[in-house]
Amino acid sequence: MTEITAAALIVNAKSRKGRKLFRRACRRLRDLPFKVDAYAVKNPEHLDRTVRKALEKKPQLVILGGGDGTISGLVDLLVGHDVILGVLPLGTANSFARTLGLPLDVDGAIDVFASGVPKRIDLGMIDEDYFANCAAMGLSPQIAETVPHGLKKVLGRVGYLGWAGYQLGRFKPFTLFVDDGSGEKRLRVVEVRISNGPYHGGTWLVDDASVTSGRIVVQAVRGHYKRRLVKNWFFNFLGRKERHHDTVSFSGTSIKVRTDPPLPISIDGEVLAHTPVTAHVAAGVIEVMVPAGR
């Protein structure tokens, strides 16, 4: 294991908990057995350049603080560098942190930086863009594109779910075309998940997905009516076996995806692409700090 003598913390202070918890995190970081340069970034447009600035100092550990969108948006900058990724979960769903088995509180997450171990994991890719956890087509990007500014920050998960209910009334099923190398399949669907990890929206949804499998998973929720989506999410939330009744999964190292009509794709909560796309896995492309024994 690489000895850590220097680290950098970059926090998205626009994330729901970022600004509030940055100072607390800095106090706790003083207890670590190595130096940590800390940056609070209030303007998300400056996150990229802040990470690049931090990398110039050659830290062994780069800690990204924020939600899933922050992690996915910045992880591209770490690929190819000899650094370990640390995750400080400060978002609403924290799906990537859940996938890694990380504590979701600041103190617990920071303890992992001292007592944890580096683990090599996969990242997903939408065309040439890396992502950490899950991309989606259907209701999720419709919510992400329309959610009022500040709603998640003020009301958190409850507010987000309320807005999701409102957008569900305006949502329409669509047609998916997917090719995992065995020929193109056509399905009528209400949601599609492109998954590197099993969590989406803070809920375990995709059993076949793993950050160490070397494969990307496309899971489709089949149906001609949006009530199928409500039923699927309900059974997923309860962990019931019925959640598999309306889903079909495709797995591979590269999968072509298109839809009719063409649709936006939310990548860990941020709308960053549109169909058609090719989903890939970047196997073992990065190391991340996880609790010992994971």
Side-chain angles (χ1 to χ4, degrees), residues 102-122:
L102 298 175
L104 301 183
D105 63 289
V106 169
D107 291 338
I110 289 176
D111 286 342
V112 171
F113 305 144
S115 62
V117 295
K119 181 176 184 177
R120 190 158 289 278
I121 66 166
D122 309 334

Side-chain angles (χ1 to χ4, degrees), residues 68-69 72 95-96 99 123-127 129-142 144 160 174 176 190-201 203 205-206 209 216-221 233 250 255 257 259 263-275 277-280:
D68 292 314
S72 272
S95 294
F96 187 52
T99 289
L123 293 176
M125 296 184 73
I126 299 295
D127 292 332
D129 183 23
Y130 292 98
F131 69 94
N133 199 70
C134 187
M137 287 155 278
L139 183 61
S140 294
Q142 182 173 312
Y160 189 80
F174 56 98
L176 169 70
V190 290
E191 184 163 84
V192 178
R193 303 145 187 166
I194 302 175
S195 298
N196 183 50
Y199 285 93
H200 177 52
T203 301
L205 294 185
V206 187
I216 198 77
V217 177
V218 174
Q219 183 188 79
V221 183
W233 272 94
F250 305 88
I255 302 176
V257 175
T259 60
L263 292 174
I265 302 174
S266 64
I267 302 177
D268 283 324
E270 305 289 336
V271 176
L272 299 173
H274 291 76
T275 57
V277 296
T278 301
H280 311 275

Side-chain angles (χ1 to χ4, degrees), residues 188-257:
R188 191 65 174 170
V189 300
V190 290
E191 184 163 84
V192 178
R193 303 145 187 166
I194 302 175
S195 298
N196 183 50
Y199 285 93
H200 177 52
T203 301
W204 182 289
L205 294 185
V206 187
D207 291 358
D208 299 336
S210 166
V211 292
T212 57
S213 67
R215 301 176 74 81
I216 198 77
V217 177
V218 174
Q219 183 188 79
V221 183
R222 296 174 293 187
H224 290 76
Y225 304 99
K226 56 192 173 187
R227 61 175 176 265
R228 287 284 186 95
L229 179 58
V230 175
K231 186 175 74 169
N232 180 258
W233 272 94
F234 176 74
F235 286 135
N236 272 294
F237 183 76
L238 296 179
R240 297 268 296 271
K241 62 181 181 181
E242 290 91 339
R243 62 200 174 98
H244 300 300
H245 289 178
D246 298 322
T247 62
V248 58
S249 293
F250 305 88
S251 177
T253 56
S254 181
I255 302 176
K256 295 179 180 178
V257 175

Side-chain angles (χ1 to χ4, degrees), residues 137-203:
M137 287 155 278
L139 183 61
S140 294
Q142 182 173 312
I143 296 168
E145 281 192 316
T146 61
V147 64
H149 178 71
L151 180 66
K152 286 170 65 176
K153 184 175 182 180
V154 174
L155 297 180
R157 207 168 176 185
V158 173
Y160 189 80
L161 290 174
W163 188 255
Y166 170 70
Q167 287 298 325
L168 179 63
R170 306 173 61 194
F171 172 73
K172 295 180 180 180
F174 56 98
T175 301
L176 169 70
F177 300 88
V178 58
D179 187 352
D180 60 359
S182 62
E184 189 176 73
K185 283 81 173 177
R186 180 180 185 273
L187 305 89
R188 191 65 174 170
V189 300
V190 290
E191 184 163 84
V192 178
R193 303 145 187 166
I194 302 175
S195 298
N196 183 50
Y199 285 93
H200 177 52
T203 301

